Amino acid sequence: MSVNPGQPVVAVVQRIEIKKLRQGENLILGFSIGGGMDQDPGQNPFSEDKTDKGIYVTRISPGGPADVAGLMMGDKIMQVNGWDMTMVTHDQARKRLTKKKEDVVRLLVTRKSLEEAVKQSMGKKYPCYKQ
Amino acid sequence: MDTESTYSGYSYYSGRSRGSHRHGERSRDRHKSRSKDSRSEKSVTINTPPAEPLLGDSSVRGEQVQDDNWGETTTAVTGTSEHSLSQEDIVRITKDLEDSVGLDCRRYFTLTLAVILGLLVFLTPLAFLVLPHLLWPEKLQSCGTACEGLFISVAFKLLILLLAVWALFFRPPRAGLPRVFVFRALLAVLVLLFVVSYWLFYGVRILDSQDENYQGIVQYAVSLVDALLFIHYLAIVLLELRQLQPCFSVCVTRSTDGETRHYNLGQLSIQRAALAILEHYYCDFPVHNPALLSASKSRAAKHLAGLKVYNVDGEFPAASAEVFKAKLKAYLLDSPGNNAAAGLAHSQSRAMIAAAARRRDTSHNELYYEEAEHERRVRKRKARLVVAVEEAFTHIKRMQEEEQKKAPGDVMDPREAAQAIFPSMARALQKYLRTTKQQHCHSMESIQQHLAFCITNNMTPKAFLESYLTPGPTLQYSRDHWLARQWTLISEASVTSGLKDGSVFLLKCVDFSLVVTAKKIPYIQMSEEYIDPKSHKFVLRLQSETSV
């Protein structure tokens, strides 16, 4: 999952659909994000590559919509409803996730265990996606 | 030939003249022949340790162990020292002569030589000036103004030379070193040669031919004094300045408890380096306390006593376990002198030691709990002591001037005040000293003296206690507690050779020895890097977490 600027990013992703929960007048998803283009990537505990400025899931409230949908802590969010999240600032990411008009967010997330699972199931014929 | 070099510390003579003189080879042979006797008398004093079996063993066996490690080239005892005497000290010396006749005769002899050389040096210019007037006054040209000006110059230069020699050489000697101080001997020889050559020239060219040009003679005398001043400059550089720049870093370790210190020394001979190290030793190392070593010795004895004997190889005869253990002990502690027993024990002992190591050993457990218990006890006693002393100090108050006139009643001087408050803290202090095994370092008299001293100088109870809570350097304790003033320098290289990288030598006294290792301070290549003050700029790097 290394990010080379200018090169296309290839990753094994999982589609996760989260239905927002209404709490009072807010729609919440039940997780916290960290990272972003304007943040310090070295302090990210979940990233493999410490120069990766992507958006990561840092906390999941247990029993919340994200937890129910299968989101896991440490996941990197690649797309939200079709919008790319690999090159956004922290605030932009937050806005994309918390649009009041959308009830459902469809995320594409990636994690290390996905790649390994695919590799194991396909055997050695599966091409390595690591660049 | 295995000999040790000794230097004795009992030298309190206050006179020292310039360039105390050694005869070179002749006196060295004489010194060597006397070394055997003086070594025997010195080894008698060295081998009467104050009842410490651990050290007693090693001091008796010391020479054999040193045979293995220190080789054949350990240095000879000369016990010479360079001192000179001023008149009043000669009286004192005659009293001390009864103590060590052999050594002091030599010292006295060399001291008188040094005095003679000094007198020769100082009187020579005056003799050069006066002799023409005595021997051929009629033929002599009268001394004009330039010549008389030179008289003043000679007088003042001689005065300066006298003051300089007094400053550099007339100092109380610090110690007696085993070998001659090479630079001093060289300087003395140089001065002697110089003066002799001037006399020769004077004798041949001036006295014989009865030269009338008195101004020339005066200028000759002035040139002599100038040259003597330059030799004095050389003496300063060689004796004092050369060793100031640090060149070696020495690591000094005490053999009994492993206390280690590091010092930086310049280019010195081994004996002078040893002297410098000993002076630091008395200030820096905490005082040697043999009572603290007894715990590890008893543990070592227990290890040996608790070993089980296993018959590992077949040919071990049916001897008793004690004989075997005695052989093992002999193997471990003795030098391999008797090969037969050693060979037998060697193969057996390896099996034994391995077996003992595998055996379930609880001594580490005992050590841990014993030390924890001791720590607790010390802390408890210390708390009691601190409280007792603080309370005692509150009873004493310094009396002001006005009060003195009003109430001339129960007024005490510091000594009486100390004696008054001492009983309330005496018991707590004694118990604390017993627990930390320091009771032999402090007598009641010394404690009371220290208390009076602290009261006089307005010290707090904490300041009073500081000298009892931590073991201080040896200098802090009373003079008769300094068990070691006689030190032996043991070295593979000659003690007058300079320190080198990796040189190791030993300074042995009665109870323990100091192991000294020298390392060269490396050549430091320093480079510079310029930082523009405007280049200090910073950015804020955040890692925020937002919940959605």
Side-chain angles (χ1 to χ4, degrees):
Chain A
M1 266 196 301
S2 54
V3 178
N4 291 335
Q7 300 296 318
V9 176
V10 182
V12 181
V13 295
Q14 178 182 356
R15 228 184 276 273
I16 292 186
E17 191 170 307
I18 306 180
K19 288 202 171 36
K20 291 192 188 177
L21 180 67
R22 183 160 285 278
Q23 244 189 20
E25 60 173 47
N26 298 327
L27 284 169
I28 62 158
L29 289 162
F31 66 97
S32 303
I33 54 166
M37 289 292 288
D38 54 341
Q39 305 284 309
D40 180 13
Q43 295 183 34
N44 191 340
F46 302 108
S47 59
E48 270 179 35
D49 179 10
K50 291 299 174 193
T51 58
D52 184 6
K53 295 189 172 181
I55 307 291
Y56 281 78
V57 175
T58 55
R59 195 176 55 86
I60 303 209
S61 23
D67 195 20
V68 163
L71 193 64
M72 301 193 16
M73 191 166 79
D75 290 353
K76 176 173 173 182
I77 302 178
M78 307 295 279
Q79 280 184 13
V80 171
N81 286 342
W83 294 100
D84 168 64
M85 296 293 254
T86 55
M87 291 284 206
V88 293
T89 65
H90 190 84
D91 210 38
Q92 283 171 344
R94 182 188 58 83
K95 282 187 189 152
R96 300 253 171 80
L97 283 166
T98 54
K99 290 215 189 302
K100 289 207 162 107
K101 294 185 184 158
E102 295 170 355
D103 274 356
V104 161
V105 286
R106 293 182 181 86
L107 310 177
L108 287 182
V109 301
T110 181
R111 62 181 83 96
K112 184 108 168 64
S113 52
L114 287 177
E115 276 204 35
E116 287 176 1
V118 169
K119 261 197 237 166
Q120 271 176 8
S121 62
M122 301 294 289
K124 290 211 175 101
K125 286 189 284 185
Y126 191 74
C128 183
Y129 270 108
K130 283 213 190 308
Q131 291 172 329
Chain B
M1 180 171 87
D2 170 42
T3 51
E4 308 170 346
S5 57
T6 320
Y7 84 73
S8 63
Y10 47 93
S11 46
Y12 298 106
Y13 310 114
S14 63
R16 183 173 259 185
S17 80
R18 169 194 183 152
S20 55
H21 190 58
R22 287 290 161 278
H23 279 314
E25 298 311 307
R26 215 163 36 115
S27 65
R28 206 161 287 177
D29 289 341
R30 202 173 349 125
H31 300 164
K32 268 198 186 150
S33 64
R34 221 181 283 211
S35 75
K36 296 281 184 344
D37 317 333
S38 50
R39 184 156 65 110
S40 59
E41 73 180 65
K42 277 185 181 50
S43 58
V44 165
T45 48
I46 287 173
N47 283 337
T48 53
E52 278 302 325
L54 166 79
L55 301 156
D57 281 345
S58 66
S59 66
V60 165
R61 295 202 150 72
E63 290 171 79
Q64 292 143 14
V65 173
Q66 279 144 29
D67 257 340
D68 299 333
N69 298 332
W70 297 99
E72 310 293 313
T73 56
T74 49
T75 52
V77 170
T78 54
T80 56
S81 54
E82 319 72 66
H83 315 283
S84 71
L85 303 171
S86 57
Q87 264 72 13
E88 53 268 26
D89 291 296
I90 293 183
V91 175
R92 195 148 47 108
I93 284 167
T94 50
K95 285 188 218 145
D96 293 345
L97 265 180
E98 290 103 40
D99 297 17
S100 49
V101 182
L103 206 57
D104 272 349
C105 266
R106 212 159 45 207
R107 214 183 284 165
Y108 189 54
F109 175 71
T110 53
L111 289 170
T112 51
L113 278 177
V115 165
I116 290 170
L117 183 68
L119 283 175
L120 182 71
V121 159
F122 276 106
L123 296 179
T124 300
L126 300 174
F128 284 0
L129 293 175
V130 164
L131 279 177
H133 277 293
L134 293 179
L135 294 180
W136 60 96
E138 337 65 48
K139 280 202 283 176
L140 213 53
Q141 286 172 5
S142 71
C143 201
T145 27
C147 181
E148 279 164 8
L150 287 177
F151 278 151
I152 299 179
S153 151
V154 165
F156 274 102
K157 282 182 183 159
L158 270 182
L159 177 69
I160 291 173
L161 186 62
L162 181 69
L163 286 176
V165 164
W166 169 82
L168 191 61
F169 295 101
F170 276 81
R171 287 188 288 190
R174 289 158 31 177
L177 297 180
R179 289 271 173 108
V180 65
F181 191 168
V182 171
F183 284 143
R184 273 181 201 247
L186 284 176
L187 280 169
V189 167
L190 178 68
V191 165
L192 192 64
L193 281 176
F194 180 71
V195 170
V196 162
S197 66
Y198 259 71
W199 268 111
L200 274 176
F201 185 85
Y202 188 77
V204 166
R205 296 292 292 274
I206 296 180
L207 283 183
D208 277 353
S209 63
Q210 302 214 334
D211 193 6
E212 303 104 27
N213 181 6
Y214 192 56
Q215 182 162 355
I217 296 175
V218 176
Q219 275 175 340
Y220 185 65
V222 171
S223 80
L224 169 67
V225 181
D226 286 342
L228 286 174
L229 279 172
F230 285 133
I231 292 184
H232 188 266
Y233 159 74
L234 181 66
I236 295 178
V237 165
L238 281 182
L239 299 179
E240 304 286 321
L241 290 184
R242 187 167 169 263
Q243 76 258 27
L244 289 181
Q245 189 186 42
C247 201
F248 293 97
S249 176
V250 295
C251 170
V252 186
T253 313
R254 186 157 61 184
S255 65
T256 48
D257 54 357
E259 284 277 341
T260 307
R261 299 279 187 279
H262 295 265
Y263 302 112
N264 278 356
L265 294 179
Q267 281 171 319
L268 288 171
S269 62
I270 288 185
Q271 59 181 5
R272 286 172 78 196
L275 180 60
I277 286 167
L278 279 181
E279 289 173 349
H280 284 296
Y281 167 79
Y282 280 114
C283 294
D284 290 335
F285 276 70
V287 67
H288 172 248
N289 198 347
L292 294 173
L293 306 167
S294 53
S296 59
K297 280 190 296 170
S298 62
R299 274 204 301 279
K302 264 195 275 178
H303 284 310
L304 217 44
L307 284 176
K308 286 198 168 60
V309 178
Y310 293 110
N311 188 355
V312 179
D313 300 343
E315 60 264 5
F316 179 58
S320 65
E322 279 70 35
V323 170
F324 188 83
K325 268 196 254 182
K327 276 190 187 150
L328 173 67
K329 184 170 175 180
Y331 167 73
L332 287 173
L333 294 181
D334 273 353
S335 63
N338 40 352
N339 289 322
L344 174 67
H346 192 73
S347 57
Q348 308 288 339
S349 62
R350 254 188 278 143
M352 266 197 59
I353 290 171
R358 268 179 259 121
R359 170 182 76 103
R360 194 186 157 85
D361 190 1
T362 53
S363 57
H364 60 275
N365 232 2
E366 289 168 20
L367 175 63
Y368 171 72
Y369 283 112
E370 197 182 295
E371 279 195 350
E373 178 63 34
H374 182 251
E375 187 72 17
R376 249 194 68 238
R377 226 180 312 144
V378 166
R379 272 207 285 258
K380 214 162 49 158
R381 291 260 164 100
K382 179 178 164 184
R384 288 206 187 123
L385 174 64
V386 168
V387 164
V389 170
E390 280 174 0
E391 206 193 304
F393 266 67
T394 56
H395 296 315
I396 289 279
K397 192 168 165 304
R398 181 174 278 267
M399 203 167 66
Q400 307 300 324
E401 284 291 330
E402 311 81 52
E403 293 173 9
Q404 258 181 16
K405 297 166 200 159
K406 289 183 204 163
D410 199 5
V411 180
M412 297 184 284
D413 67 351
R415 191 163 164 70
E416 289 162 6
Q419 276 171 351
I421 60 173
F422 179 67
S424 57
M425 66 169 87
R427 201 154 161 268
L429 185 60
Q430 199 182 44
K431 278 193 162 170
Y432 179 81
L433 290 180
R434 281 236 177 91
T435 313
T436 51
K437 300 201 175 81
Q438 279 179 302
Q439 71 272 20
H440 58 95
C441 301
H442 305 280
S443 67
M444 198 165 84
E445 188 55 43
S446 75
I447 297 175
Q448 280 181 347
Q449 257 174 12
H450 187 238
L451 185 56
F453 176 76
C454 292
I455 292 175
T456 318
N457 294 308
N458 296 325
M459 291 199 197
T460 61
K462 187 167 189 291
F464 164 70
L465 276 178
E466 197 54 36
S467 66
Y468 302 110
L469 294 179
T470 48
T474 316
L475 281 177
Q476 187 180 319
Y477 298 90
S478 60
R479 197 168 265 269
D480 39 312
H481 186 70
W482 296 9
L483 299 172
R485 261 185 292 161
Q486 186 128 358
W487 292 84
T488 310
L489 176 58
I490 300 168
S491 153
E492 287 176 350
S494 155
V495 294
T496 47
S497 67
L499 275 182
K500 291 191 190 43
D501 185 29
S503 53
V504 177
F505 56 95
L506 224 68
L507 275 165
K508 200 166 85 140
C509 87
V510 177
D511 301 321
F512 55 89
S513 52
L514 295 173
V515 183
V516 181
T517 324
K519 287 192 199 49
K520 202 164 161 61
I521 295 178
Y523 176 74
I524 295 173
Q525 178 73 23
M526 209 182 301
S527 55
E528 79 158 295
E529 185 183 325
Y530 172 69
I531 293 186
D532 187 3
K534 295 201 203 87
S535 70
H536 299 294
K537 303 243 182 282
F538 295 93
V539 290
L540 202 57
R541 308 195 79 180
L542 308 165
Q543 181 70 15
S544 40
E545 192 185 346
T546 322
S547 47
V548 294

